[in-house]
Amino acid sequence: MLVDFPADDKALPSSLQDARKYINVVSALAADYQIRQTRTGQLKVLAELHDRLTDFQKLMKLTVAPVGSTFEPLTIKWLHMVSNEQEKLRQQSTHNELPNPYIAGNPLEVRDQQLFVGRSDILLAIEQFILNTDQRPSLLLYGRRRTGKSSTLLNLPRSRFEPVYIDCQDAKWHESDQAFCYNLAHDLFNVLYQSDSVRGLRQPQIEQFDKNAFTQLDQFLTQAQKIAEQRDKRILLAFDEYEELENSIINGDISEKVLGKLRNLIQHSKSIVVLVSGSHRFEELTRLNWANYLINTRTLELSYLDAESARELLTKPVPELHYEAGVVDEIIHITHCQPYLLQAVASELVNYLNSKQQTTATPDDLNTALEKTLVSASAYFSDTWRKDNSEAEQQVMRALATGKTESVLADAAFQPAIQSLIRKEIVEGTEGSYRLAVELFARWIVRNQV
């Protein structure tokens, strides 16, 4: 192990800036190596460490004494240590680790196509609505948290329209009306630039929006629409986590003029379609009348994956990963095909198999991975438990998780809470026979909320 690496640069005189810089870098990499748990991760850090030490050694070779003559022998010694460590790791095992492509939490980019499954119907519906020249609908992409809304928006096809992805959690959309208008024009310009569609369109400058920001935005959008029409395309403005705009309006950071502008675009812009995506329907948001602004809205719902798509997600991205009979079915059952949990369980399972140097998952391996997921996905479970759920709804969830349902199901006062949880897809069933949709969530409740 690389225990002889310096922990810091306190022993170096302050004038030795180049040596100090490299010492800090290699020390941080050596510390990173110490905490890596997989052979792949360790080898990756060692390769980077070897490169940085090589650069350090070359620099010291050209540096005059006493600095060069002091540190060049040290770099040679450290390079030798790293090379020995690399060789030792390679000889420890001939087992090839399983790649782990699974991404739990972050949106799937276009490069993650192998993980983006089961949403072709939604993509087709969005494309049809956008390209329908006879109507000008606005779109609401609705789904509960971690169902893949952001991933869907990031994977929209670009052959017939230009999607502008707007993450409303980014602070830049909440600074002011002027900043909102500038950022919308700026992001649209970038999208058009990437598709080589900006000829005749000037890049917006932030100072242009200091006065009459909405007029400046209008002028820019008029030019952008002309370019889109010449290319037989439409522009999609996709506002992800749109509820954050409501919070900013209520707090006074931006004004309702922003929503008025979106309504104006829906009514009068033939080449622009407005889409908002979030975990609430309009009627669930009571502080602003969203339906008054986003008129003629068509709602598209994202739910759990179907079993076939879930099976594809578990088996195709890693062909070297094998499952004993019943393991895949159990993952599908216990996660209820919830996209985030499928990825989380699969990621924990691959990591655990690599730690055991095996490529076939047994039921016992799955049980271990599930235990790890209950910890690593605790933020998701906690958010599902707390976010937008009343005390009565939490009582219902606790009763269903523990099986102590008599007092809850028999009390008519809990029926509104049950129906609300059904609408949120947290609970399933009919009167007299309700259950939590995701068994893994039920296990988390028993451990953390009872």
Side-chain angles (χ1 to χ4, degrees):
M1 303 297 285
L2 307 181
V3 294
D4 294 330
F5 271 73
D8 53 43
D9 62 329
K10 292 180 180 178
L12 299 177
S14 59
S15 60
L16 304 180
Q17 294 301 321
D18 288 337
R20 182 190 301 272
K21 178 184 69 173
Y22 276 102
I23 288 288
N24 286 341
V25 170
V26 298
S27 297
L29 288 170
D32 187 15
Y33 170 79
Q34 301 287 348
I35 62 175
R36 292 295 179 117
Q37 299 297 312
T38 66
R39 189 167 61 91
T40 298
Q42 291 172 330
L43 287 170
K44 182 177 180 180
V45 174
L46 287 177
E48 185 177 355
L49 183 54
H50 192 281
D51 290 343
R52 298 291 77 76
L53 283 171
T54 299
D55 294 339
F56 191 11
Q57 189 266 332
K58 290 178 180 178
L59 177 63
M60 291 298 100
K61 189 175 182 178
L62 299 175
T63 303
V64 298
V67 176
S69 58
T70 299
F71 285 103
E72 187 187 6
L74 285 175
T75 60
I76 294 173
K77 174 186 174 182
W78 291 340
L79 278 167
H80 183 68
M81 291 168 57
V82 171
S83 297
N84 287 344
E85 195 74 10
Q86 288 174 311
E87 184 61 27
K88 183 174 71 174
L89 283 176
R90 294 188 184 103
Q91 292 179 356
Q92 280 180 353
S93 172
T94 59
H95 169 73
N96 292 322
E97 288 189 346
L98 295 169
N100 192 347
Y102 294 105
I103 303 170
N106 293 329
L108 300 176
E109 305 279 354
V110 174
R111 64 177 179 269
D112 305 311
Q113 280 292 314
Q114 59 180 343
L115 302 176
F116 186 70
V117 299
R119 300 307 191 197
S120 57
D121 57 334
I122 293 293
L123 293 178
L124 178 60
I126 292 175
E127 187 170 5
Q128 288 175 337
F129 280 126
I130 292 172
L131 300 179
N132 187 341
T133 56
D134 297 327
Q135 301 180 36
R136 297 195 194 107
S138 55
L139 302 175
L140 167 62
L141 182 61
Y142 164 80
R144 304 311 295 180
R145 289 172 179 81
R146 305 297 190 184
T147 53
K149 299 183 296 297
S150 300
S151 298
T152 299
L153 297 179
L154 290 170
N155 282 271
L156 289 170
R158 296 173 179 266
S159 58
R160 297 287 307 282
F161 56 90
E162 302 284 6
V164 183
Y165 177 76
I166 299 161
D167 181 4
C168 294
Q169 293 180 315
D170 191 329
K172 71 181 185 180
W173 299 103
H174 309 282
E175 294 174 338
S176 66
D177 287 359
Q178 292 81 359
F180 183 94
C181 292
Y182 164 72
N183 285 313
L184 187 56
H186 176 269
D187 285 11
L188 174 54
F189 179 88
N190 285 343
V191 168
L192 296 175
Y193 180 83
Q194 290 171 11
S195 63
D196 194 26
S197 303
V198 293
R199 293 177 184 175
L201 189 65
R202 292 185 178 181
Q203 183 172 2
Q205 303 298 318
I206 191 167
E207 57 270 13
Q208 294 175 269
F209 294 81
D210 288 341
K211 294 182 179 179
N212 305 317
F214 290 101
T215 299
Q216 292 290 338
L217 178 61
D218 265 343
Q219 293 175 354
F220 179 85
L221 291 177
T222 298
Q223 294 176 308
Q225 287 183 85
K226 288 179 180 178
I227 292 175
E229 290 169 1
Q230 290 170 1
R231 297 173 63 90
D232 194 26
K233 286 191 172 186
R234 303 187 87 179
I235 296 169
L236 172 66
L237 303 179
F239 294 87
D240 197 15
E241 305 291 348
Y242 79 99
E243 299 96 332
E244 296 300 321
L245 295 179
E246 177 173 299
N247 293 332
S248 281
I249 291 172
I250 298 301
N251 293 334
D253 301 319
I254 59 177
S255 73
E256 287 191 54
K257 293 178 182 178
V258 166
L259 300 187
K261 183 61 204 170
L262 296 184
R263 173 176 173 140
N264 175 264
L265 291 176
I266 294 168
Q267 287 181 303
H268 302 293
S269 299
K270 294 182 179 180
S271 301
I272 295 179
V273 176
V274 175
L275 179 151
V276 296
S277 172
S279 56
H280 296 83
R281 298 180 178 89
F282 291 163
E283 60 268 23
E284 295 178 298
L285 300 174
T286 58
R287 296 182 296 176
L288 291 177
N289 185 1
W290 281 89
N292 182 53
Y293 292 105
L294 301 185
I295 57 177
N296 193 24
T297 299
R298 305 292 181 86
T299 300
L300 302 172
E301 293 195 16
L302 277 182
S303 183
Y304 300 102
L305 292 175
D306 59 85
E308 181 180 353
S309 297
R311 193 176 301 276
E312 178 183 347
L313 177 61
L314 294 170
T315 57
K316 286 193 175 182
V318 188
E320 308 92 335
L321 172 59
H322 305 287
Y323 299 89
E324 287 191 358
V327 173
V328 171
D329 290 334
E330 180 60 16
I331 297 175
I332 290 174
H333 165 71
I334 202 166
T335 63
H336 201 61
C337 300
Q338 205 287 335
Y340 169 81
L341 291 178
L342 282 169
Q343 298 255 10
V345 172
S347 179
E348 292 288 1
L349 185 57
V350 169
N351 286 341
Y352 182 64
L353 292 176
N354 282 334
S355 72
K356 295 178 63 179
Q357 298 188 6
Q358 68 185 53
T359 58
T360 300
T362 68
D364 287 341
D365 296 328
L366 174 58
N367 288 334
T368 300
L370 292 174
E371 291 296 317
K372 292 178 177 293
T373 304
L374 286 170
V375 176
S376 62
S378 59
Y380 164 79
F381 292 126
S382 180
D383 187 64
T384 303
W385 171 261
R386 290 188 173 90
K387 196 74 170 181
D388 299 327
N389 291 325
S390 66
E391 183 177 342
E393 289 170 327
Q394 291 178 349
Q395 286 183 258
V396 170
M397 290 189 287
R398 186 181 292 111
L400 293 174
T402 59
K404 301 175 182 178
T405 60
E406 296 83 2
S407 60
V408 169
L409 298 184
D411 190 342
F414 283 101
Q415 278 304 308
I418 293 173
Q419 295 307 312
S420 175
L421 291 169
I422 290 174
R423 287 192 297 273
K424 297 173 186 177
E425 296 189 311
I426 296 175
V427 168
E428 292 184 338
T430 56
E431 186 174 353
S433 179
Y434 298 108
R435 65 182 179 278
L436 289 167
V438 179
E439 184 179 324
L440 195 58
F441 180 44
R443 291 189 185 185
W444 180 87
I445 293 174
V446 170
R447 292 192 179 187
N448 296 276
Q449 300 298 333
V450 175

